[in-house]
Each structure stands twice: as C-alpha cells, then as structure tokens.
C-alpha cells in the first residue's frame, strides 16, 4: 500500500467549516498544543546553545545539556516534559506536526537562510495540523478523515462537522475511482473569527486534464508599472489593490488605535473590550478583502498564461531581498510577485506545460538583438523606459526587451537539460 507521499499527484483543497462551541474549544486547545510544543523546542535549543558555549569552562553543564537533549527528543520525551499533553482533548498529530515544523524551520534556515526558529506568540489566529490515517479492513481501506456528504466531514478529535465548499469539486473528489487519499489537514481560524480546513490530497491519477498544445512560448518580466510584460509585447496591468483601499484601511486602523488607547487608559482588557474587538475585525476584513481580490486576479492571469503557452520563462526573483528597499517594499508586497510565480509553477505541472525560472542578472541591461551589455555610464536606471543599443542601434522598450532575454535564457536552460 503506497503512502500519500509516494503518490505522483497532489492537490490542496480548502473549505470553510462551521464548528460547534465544543469543537471551537478543541481547536483552541490544539492550537495551544501546537504553539507550546514548538516554543518548548525553541527554548530548549536556545538554552543548549548558550550552555554549549560555556561547557568547556563549567563541566557541570554537561548533565544539563544531556537533560535538555532528552526533553527535545521523541514525542514521548516532549510529553513527559509537558505533562498536560497527555490530556484527552489533545490530538497526538498536533504534537508530531509541531515537532516536524520545527525541524523544517531549521532546514529552511540552512538551505534558504530564513532565520533561526523563533518563539510563536498567541494571537487572534489559530491553527494546527493533523493527519489522516488509513487501515485495512475486510471492506477495504478505512480512514479517520472522510467526507460524509457534500455538507459534512469527519475530522480527528472534532468528529462530524459542517462545511461549506463547492458541491461540484466535492462530488468530483468523492466519485474518483482511482486510489485517492487525504494526507494532512490544517485546521485554522482567521483574524476575523471564521474557521477553515485545508486538505492535502494525493492520487495515483492526475486531478486535471492536460491542456492542448498551442505551439507558443512566453518570457515574462515582472515589474511595478505593469504587473506582467511578455516577450510578444503584451502586458497585464498592476491593479494595486492595497493602494485602492489605502484610505479606507487607514481610517479603520486609526479608529482601532484610538479604541486601543481608550481601553488601556481605562484599564480594560482588550479581549473584553467589545468596541475594540469589533473594530479589529473590521480592519481584518479589509485586509482579507484586499488579499482575496489580489489572489483572484493572479489566478485569472496565471491560468490564462498557462493555457495559452506551452513554455513559460520567468525571473527567479529574490523578493525578500528586494523588499529591504523601504521605498518600494509596499508596492512589491502589493504586486505579490512570489505568489504569481508559485501559481505559474504548480499550474504548469497540473496542465502539462513547461515553466522555468532563470537567473535575473542583467536581463534588463542586455540587448536582445546583438547581446551588447550596458555597463558603466551606459547602465540603465529605472527611469529609462526605452533605449537604443549603442552597438546595433536597435530601439528597445525596456520591459519587452527584458522579457525576450528571459525567454532566450529559459530556452538555453531547457536545451541544456
């Protein structure tokens, strides 16, 4: 029996859930478990790091180091260090996934330089991960996670819970005849107070049919004036959704700040301050509205691009580094380049197309006609929207020329492979 990780096709599926008060309490408990286990591992490893610097001078610290190593070992040792994890409301998989996420955080720190794992603080948002488990029975495979019908799902610890999702998608998933399994589930509450469940689903057969070949290819240049400039001269506008809502958002945040100051001045807890909590949810709703509008627009663009092109090349942008420029950080975040590239990447896989990320160096400074590189005093700045190549005298539109260079570089990488 193959595990979900060994299956070739994977997809994510997010649904809204409507838990009862008891189920909400269980979600809060397991969010606390997830956070406390993660913070326990962070604290133990921070202490181990400090003691390891002094153990050569104070040999007595060796016993303390051994004790800390035992407290961060298998799940049983962590539970012994935190006895409340033996409670009947605790989902064992929440503990295992918190430990796995901590290990992943260190892996990302080594490979992607994301920073040392830090403490998680309590917030209005809740989340924890659990897993589906399958067992063989005379009647076939049985799972502790299953969609009862198009309106209900059974989840570990929570039991039967009402959901709101696309009936069409749910029906298609339930009627699949090939081996399809749920691997993991992330249960969460957003800052507005709505609850969600995200399912990771694996299968032996693809979830989407491959799109017909069009014989076309695109290099795309991402920028802030136009979100996408393609190598054929076409472009897609950058709609700047956050800027559109900036006035409304600023007004809501000012009201929330005033209510915060009044509550603190009166000595009232923010948790019990009704006006503050209501205004906080209004502000969070505006943020979510901006994010949803942006995501919907990027879905439309990415799907259109993948359906119409057989080969797509884009720059492998280091967005985290680019956002260190505080003059452009807000505009870059509003454009959501990383999210757009991620959409192109996974949709290309789903629809049977090719997507390649290329090194971004000098894509703007190279003449796509003769290969001349603009250096020194000739180096193009952000103000230079069109330029003439000193060598071949070709007039270039800055972004279209960059997109052509990206396409050529992508084709070279594809042929080399």
């Amino acid at each position: 029996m193959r595990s979900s990780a060994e299956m070739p096709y994977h997809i994510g599926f997010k649904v809204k859930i409507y838990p009862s008060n008891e189920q909400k309490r269980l979600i809060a408990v397991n969010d606390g478990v997830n956070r406390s286990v993660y913070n326990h591992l962070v604290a133990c490893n921070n202490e181990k790091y400090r003691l390891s610097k002094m153990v050569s001078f104070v040999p007595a610290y060796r016993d303390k180091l051994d004790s800390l190593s035992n407290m961060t070992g298998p799940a049983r040792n962590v539970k012994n260090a935190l006895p409340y994890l033996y409670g009947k409301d605790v989902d064992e998989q929440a503990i295992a996934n918190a430990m796995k996420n901590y290990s992943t955080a260190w892996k990302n720190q080594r490979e992607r330089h994301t920073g040392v794992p830090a403490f998680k603080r309590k917030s209005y948002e809740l989340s924890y991960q659990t897993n589906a488990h399958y067992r063989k029975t005379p009647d076939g495979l049985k799972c502790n996670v299953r969609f009862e019908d198009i309106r209900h799902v059974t989840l570990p610890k929570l039991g039967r819970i009402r959901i709101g999702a696309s009936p069409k998608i749910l029906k298609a998933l339930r009627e699949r005849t090939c081996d399809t399994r749920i691997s993991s589930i992330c249960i969460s509450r957003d800052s507005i107070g709505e609850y969600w469940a995200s399912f990771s689903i694996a299968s032996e057969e693809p979830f989407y049919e491959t799109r017909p070949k069009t014989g076309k290819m695109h290099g795309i240049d991402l920028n802030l004036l136009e979100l996408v400039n393609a190598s054929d001269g076409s472009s897609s506008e950058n709609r700047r959704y956050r800027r559109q809502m900036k006035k409304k958002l600023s007004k809501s945040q000012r009201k929330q700040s005033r209510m915060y100051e009044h509550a603190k001045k009166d000595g009232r807890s923010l948790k019990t301050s009704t006006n503050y909590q209501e205004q906080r949810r209004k502000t969070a709703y505006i943020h979510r509205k901006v994010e949803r509008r942006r995501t919907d627009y990027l879905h439309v663009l990415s799907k259109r691009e993948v359906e119409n092109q057989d080969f797509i090349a884009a720059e492998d942008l280091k967005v985290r580094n680019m956002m260190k420029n505080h003059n452009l950080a807000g505009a870059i975040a509003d454009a959501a380049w990383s999210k757009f590239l991620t959409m192109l990447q996974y949709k290309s896989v789903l629809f049977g197309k090719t997507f390649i990320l290329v090194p971004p160096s000098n894509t703007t400074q190279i003449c796509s006609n003769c290969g001349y590189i603009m250096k020194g005093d000739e180096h193009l700045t952000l103000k230079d929207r069109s330029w003439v190549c000193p060598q071949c005298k070709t007039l270039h539109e800055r972004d279209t020329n960059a997109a052509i260079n990206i396409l050529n570089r992508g084709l070279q990488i594809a042929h080399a492979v």
Side-chain angles (χ1 to χ4, degrees):
M1 182 172 65
R2 298 180 71 183
S3 65
S4 298
E6 295 171 338
M7 292 182 175
Y9 301 101
H10 300 263
I11 195 173
F13 181 49
K14 187 174 182 179
V15 302
K16 190 173 183 180
I17 58 177
Y18 300 90
S20 64
N21 289 336
E22 175 62 16
Q23 289 168 332
K24 290 179 181 179
R25 185 187 69 81
L26 291 172
I27 292 172
V29 166
N30 284 287
D31 166 74
V33 167
N34 173 63
R35 187 175 62 257
S36 63
V37 169
Y38 191 93
N39 288 345
H40 168 75
L41 296 175
V42 172
C44 288
N45 279 281
N46 287 350
E47 183 69 11
K48 285 169 62 179
Y49 177 77
R50 286 192 291 268
L51 293 178
S52 65
K53 296 293 184 182
M54 299 180 289
V55 70
S56 58
F57 304 103
V58 187
Y61 285 160
R62 175 61 59 189
D63 293 337
K64 180 65 174 176
L65 281 171
D66 294 339
S67 175
L68 289 170
S69 297
N70 290 332
M71 293 170 63
T72 58
R76 181 181 299 175
N77 293 358
V78 174
K79 292 175 70 174
N80 290 337
L82 305 173
Y84 55 83
L85 297 180
Y86 283 104
K88 65 178 182 179
D89 295 333
V90 175
D91 189 337
E92 295 286 340
Q93 296 303 313
I95 301 172
N97 281 297
M99 297 177 68
K100 180 181 177 182
N101 291 340
Y102 181 74
S103 299
T104 302
W106 273 113
K107 182 180 177 181
N108 291 338
Q109 191 275 336
R110 291 189 298 269
E111 297 179 356
R112 298 163 52 189
H113 309 289
T114 55
V116 174
F119 290 105
K120 291 184 177 181
R121 64 178 183 177
K122 190 174 182 179
S123 70
Y124 295 106
E125 299 179 359
L126 307 178
S127 70
Y128 74 95
Q129 290 173 276
T130 187
N131 296 87
H133 290 284
Y134 289 82
R135 57 187 176 86
K136 288 184 177 181
T137 67
D139 299 328
L141 286 177
K142 296 294 183 181
C143 182
N144 61 341
V145 179
R146 58 188 178 276
F147 291 100
E148 304 285 356
D149 51 49
I150 62 173
R151 287 287 174 251
H152 296 89
V153 66
T154 297
L155 297 173
K157 287 294 179 182
L158 301 181
R160 183 182 170 93
I161 189 168
R162 189 165 68 90
I163 63 174
S166 166
K168 181 179 179 181
I169 297 177
L170 277 176
K171 184 178 179 182
L173 286 174
R174 296 183 65 202
E175 292 179 351
R176 287 176 68 87
T177 56
C178 61
D179 191 3
T180 302
R181 299 182 197 171
I182 300 169
S183 57
S184 63
I185 309 97
C186 179
I187 299 165
S188 60
R189 184 187 73 183
D190 61 22
S191 55
I192 297 175
E194 296 178 350
Y195 290 80
W196 305 86
S198 301
F199 297 85
S200 177
I201 303 174
S203 179
E204 294 286 358
E205 295 182 4
F207 293 94
Y208 292 91
E209 296 181 0
T210 57
R211 295 296 192 267
K213 298 296 183 180
T214 62
K216 298 179 181 178
M217 56 185 66
H218 256 185
I220 57 176
D221 176 59
L222 303 180
N223 56 81
L224 296 177
L225 297 180
E226 300 287 346
L227 181 62
V228 176
N229 283 92
S231 52
D232 62 0
S234 61
S235 62
S236 299
E237 65 175 318
N238 182 10
R239 296 191 176 178
R240 299 177 176 86
Y241 288 107
R242 194 175 190 280
R243 182 182 292 183
Q244 294 178 21
M245 301 289 285
K246 185 177 181 179
K247 185 176 180 180
K248 187 175 182 179
L249 180 60
S250 298
K251 183 178 179 180
S252 179
Q253 289 174 327
R254 286 196 299 270
K255 291 179 68 175
Q256 182 180 339
S257 180
R258 286 197 297 269
M259 292 177 183
Y260 172 87
E261 295 296 336
H262 291 160
K264 288 298 183 182
K265 185 177 180 181
D266 297 341
R268 291 181 284 115
S269 168
L270 293 179
K271 189 175 181 180
T272 59
S273 178
T274 306
N275 289 341
Y276 173 82
Q277 291 297 332
E278 182 179 354
Q279 188 60 40
R280 180 192 63 79
R281 284 190 289 270
K282 288 181 180 179
T283 304
Y285 180 81
I286 296 173
H287 279 292
R288 191 178 73 172
K289 185 175 182 179
V290 170
E291 193 273 335
R292 284 183 170 182
R293 291 175 66 189
R294 180 193 299 121
T295 301
D296 180 71
Y297 179 58
L298 295 180
H299 273 303
V300 172
L301 287 184
S302 57
K303 186 178 180 182
R304 184 180 67 191
E305 192 73 22
V306 172
E307 286 182 334
N308 293 335
Q309 311 297 326
D310 292 343
F311 181 91
I312 305 170
E315 289 178 302
D316 187 10
L317 298 175
K318 306 301 181 185
V319 178
R320 185 186 296 272
N321 295 336
M322 297 172 71
M323 290 187 67
K324 293 178 182 178
N325 182 343
H326 298 294
N327 294 323
L328 298 176
I332 293 173
D334 199 10
W337 290 336
S338 293
K339 179 179 285 190
F340 182 63
L341 293 176
T342 301
M343 289 180 180
L344 287 173
Q345 199 161 22
Y346 78 75
K347 288 178 182 178
S348 297
V349 174
L350 288 177
F351 298 149
K353 302 300 180 71
T354 302
F355 176 73
I356 288 182
L357 290 173
V358 305
S361 59
N362 285 333
T363 53
T364 303
Q365 308 295 330
I366 298 176
C367 172
S368 58
N369 185 49
C370 67
Y372 182 82
I373 302 177
M374 304 288 280
K375 295 180 180 179
D377 295 337
E378 297 175 335
H379 192 276
L380 302 175
T381 65
L382 289 175
K383 295 180 181 179
D384 301 318
R385 306 315 304 171
S386 61
W387 56 283
V388 177
C389 175
Q391 182 167 287
C392 66
K393 308 304 180 182
T394 303
L395 175 64
H396 293 294
E397 291 296 328
R398 175 194 179 97
D399 299 322
T400 303
N401 175 71
I404 295 172
N405 287 328
I406 292 168
L407 176 60
N408 293 336
R409 194 170 293 182
L411 291 172
Q412 291 174 2
I413 295 175
H415 290 154
V417 173

